[in-house]
Amino acid sequence: MRVNVYGSELSAAVAAAALSSVGHQVVWCPHPDFPWHSLESAEWLIREPGLKEQIDTGCRSGLLTIAETPAHGEVDIHWLALAPDQRDAAEAYVADVPATQSTPLVVINNSTFPVGHTERFEALLGHAGQVAVALPDMLEEGRAWETFTRPSRWLLGSEDTQATHQVRELLRAFNRRQDVFQLMPRRAAELTKLAIIGMLATRISYMNELAGLADSLDVDVEHVRLGMGADSRIGFEYLYPGCGFGGPSFSRDLMRLADVQHASGRESLLLEHVLDINEQKKETLFRKFWNHFHGQLFERRVAIWGAAFKPGTTRIDQAPVLTLLDALLAQGVNVNVHDPEALPALRALYGDHPRVTFCDDDFYAACDGADALMLVTEWKCYWNPNWRQLSERMATPLILDGRNIFDPDYVAARGLIYRGIGRRADPTGA
């Protein structure tokens, strides 16, 4: 098929590369705010496993062309993958389609716009046989290529039989193991995407609330998590307490859901509480640090392991480390930060700050003279540290585990002080 992809989001880059890799003729036009000459050197694109290589392969094959301006003309599919604040650009793009297209086509809305916006696109087309469908972005950053090419599900919002067949054919190469399409009306697909994000965020925040309660009751929250997850009605997914979630898509989609509820006149106290809990949890390691030293923090030194909002990405958008850093620096704390991938993004924000030191290579070096080690992002390289080396390097062997990846009793047995999210070492040693 002849496919035009429009947008500079991760979903646009993956769609352009993946569709061309299976034989479709693809023209990808990034949004003018983020043209290809800036995108191709972006850390998030370079670090996304395999993506840049797939784009280069597509270009060499001639099946993928990267254009500076939208390439309207006779095509089969227009794939829109734009940021939520680029609705005007999306509408202008769709409004130009009828003038250059006389044959049937499908506009795929892969963007997260307000519920009902896919119908707005179809109204702008205004021609019989030119249909808009919703195919919400379900990619997971850090494994975007895998989630596109080996999807567990597609939410397809379509009320047109021919358009549904066209989308199925477009993605047939990625749908061979089983039928992963969940077909529903367009508005239902748009709302379902937001509802999924809201539910996941609610589970995380609820576990974080329980972790705080467990702390106050001197209960290890791990027992609670295992007991809850063993209940078949609940399961274990997204039941891990931590120091808050972030990320460009997750946070943005939550705010979009809040906007949808506000626009409908149905305010959600639950969602507001979920968002409040998350912002509070981003400060939880700081509060534990404060309590341990009774507020005497000036000129102390902290090592932070992990800055990215999750392992496998370079991004720090709404990441807990930002809130944590601001709180520490406001108290005159010196901070050493290590992250395998996200330091360039963090340098762009804090590179000139005299109290921030970036440790590029050796994450143990970040702990030299530290009064505490704060684990913020659970990169695999941090899971099994040399505890003896840490104890020797640190001024105070205080481990603040923001992701509960360490065994409290094991750490304590090595002579260090452990504090997690609702977890601590058993003082009896049992």
Side-chain angles (χ1 to χ4, degrees):
M1 293 187 196
R2 299 162 298 173
V3 183
N4 283 0
V5 176
Y6 183 44
S8 299
E9 297 292 282
L10 173 62
S11 52
V14 174
L19 293 174
S20 64
S21 75
V22 295
H24 297 298
Q25 190 70 51
V26 180
V27 177
W28 174 26
C29 176
H31 188 276
D33 287 351
F34 303 98
W36 175 243
H37 65 78
S38 62
L39 275 183
E40 65 178 331
S41 58
E43 284 290 327
W44 64 263
L45 188 145
I46 294 171
R47 299 294 186 182
E48 186 67 40
L51 179 54
K52 183 62 164 57
E53 292 82 356
Q54 292 290 345
I55 292 172
D56 292 342
T57 298
C59 291
R60 288 195 300 269
S61 72
L63 290 170
L64 174 59
T65 302
I66 302 176
E68 293 184 2
T69 57
H72 285 310
E74 297 289 344
V75 298
D76 303 296
I77 300 285
H78 285 280
W79 183 292
L80 306 182
L82 294 111
D85 60 355
Q86 294 171 343
R87 277 185 288 162
D88 290 345
E91 290 185 6
Y93 179 96
V94 174
D96 286 343
V97 169
T100 57
Q101 181 88 23
S102 60
T103 56
L105 64 78
V106 175
V107 171
I108 294 177
N109 178 19
N110 190 229
S111 312
T112 303
F113 292 145
V115 174
H117 218 76
T118 304
E119 296 170 8
R120 165 72 176 157
F121 289 148
E122 188 165 308
L124 289 171
L125 292 170
H127 282 219
Q130 297 183 359
V131 180
V133 303
L135 192 71
D137 170 20
M138 304 295 286
L139 296 184
E140 296 179 31
E141 193 160 342
R143 51 190 300 269
W145 181 263
E146 180 183 350
T147 50
F148 191 103
T149 58
R150 297 177 64 85
S152 60
R153 68 197 182 285
W154 288 104
L155 298 176
L156 175 55
S158 174
E159 291 101 342
D160 185 278
T161 301
Q162 286 302 115
T164 300
H165 289 327
Q166 187 84 331
V167 174
R168 285 179 175 275
E169 179 61 24
L170 176 74
L171 299 171
R172 182 167 55 86
F174 315 119
N175 190 39
R176 296 196 67 189
R177 292 177 301 157
Q178 59 180 356
D179 186 359
V180 297
F181 285 99
Q182 292 181 270
L183 182 63
M184 59 187 71
R186 289 173 290 193
R187 288 190 176 218
E190 293 166 338
L191 182 56
T192 299
K193 157 63 184 295
L194 299 178
I196 290 170
I197 297 299
M199 177 60 78
L200 298 181
T202 300
R203 286 173 68 97
I204 295 170
S205 290
Y206 181 63
M207 279 307 300
N208 282 335
E209 282 279 81
L210 285 178
L213 179 60
D215 255 341
S216 65
L217 296 175
D218 198 22
V219 171
D220 187 341
V221 77
E222 182 67 3
H223 296 304
V224 180
R225 185 187 71 82
L226 292 173
M228 291 174 63
D231 190 316
S232 61
R233 298 168 298 177
I234 298 173
F236 288 98
E237 293 298 318
Y238 286 80
L239 281 191
Y240 294 91
C243 57
F245 57 77
S249 297
F250 201 84
S251 302
R252 202 166 56 188
D253 290 347
L254 269 179
M255 296 307 299
R256 177 63 59 202
L257 179 56
D259 290 344
V260 168
Q261 291 183 313
H262 178 76
S264 70
R266 305 176 67 89
E267 301 292 347
S268 173
L269 296 178
L270 174 61
L271 188 56
E272 290 177 11
H273 193 49
V274 165
L275 293 168
D276 287 343
I277 292 171
N278 188 54
E279 291 307 307
Q280 293 168 16
K281 281 299 171 181
K282 291 178 181 180
E283 296 182 349
T284 191
L285 295 184
F286 171 78
R287 290 195 295 271
K288 290 177 182 293
F289 183 56
W290 174 284
N291 290 336
H292 184 84
F293 289 104
H294 307 289
Q296 305 302 308
L297 304 186
F298 186 69
E299 291 297 348
R300 292 195 182 276
R301 183 168 297 277
V302 165
I304 291 179
W305 282 359
F309 77 89
K310 72 171 186 177
T313 182
T314 64
R315 297 201 185 191
I316 59 171
D317 309 60
Q318 292 84 45
V321 73
L322 303 179
T323 302
L324 181 58
L325 269 173
D326 289 344
L328 291 168
L329 296 175
Q331 295 296 319
V333 177
N334 299 301
V335 184
N336 300 340
V337 189
H338 177 274
D339 187 283
E341 302 289 352
L343 288 189
L346 202 63
R347 272 196 178 94
L349 296 178
Y350 296 93
D352 297 328
H353 201 290
R355 292 190 179 275
V356 180
T357 300
F358 299 94
C359 303
D360 293 273
D361 301 317
D362 183 5
F363 54 86
Y364 289 108
C367 299
D368 287 340
D371 295 292
L373 166 60
M374 297 182 176
L375 187 286
V376 179
T377 311
E378 65 275 30
W379 291 93
K380 290 300 184 184
C381 62
Y382 302 144
W383 280 66
N384 293 283
N386 184 323
W387 296 109
R388 176 178 295 177
Q389 185 175 166
L390 283 180
S391 184
E392 292 172 350
R393 285 177 176 252
M394 296 177 69
T396 306
L398 174 61
I399 307 299
L400 301 176
D401 183 359
R403 298 299 172 189
N404 288 356
I405 66 171
F406 302 133
D407 183 308
D409 296 327
Y410 187 87
V411 175
R414 296 273 95 43
L416 295 95
I417 306 163
Y418 178 90
R419 296 289 183 272
I421 309 300
R423 302 207 72 194
R424 64 183 65 198
D426 185 345
T428 67

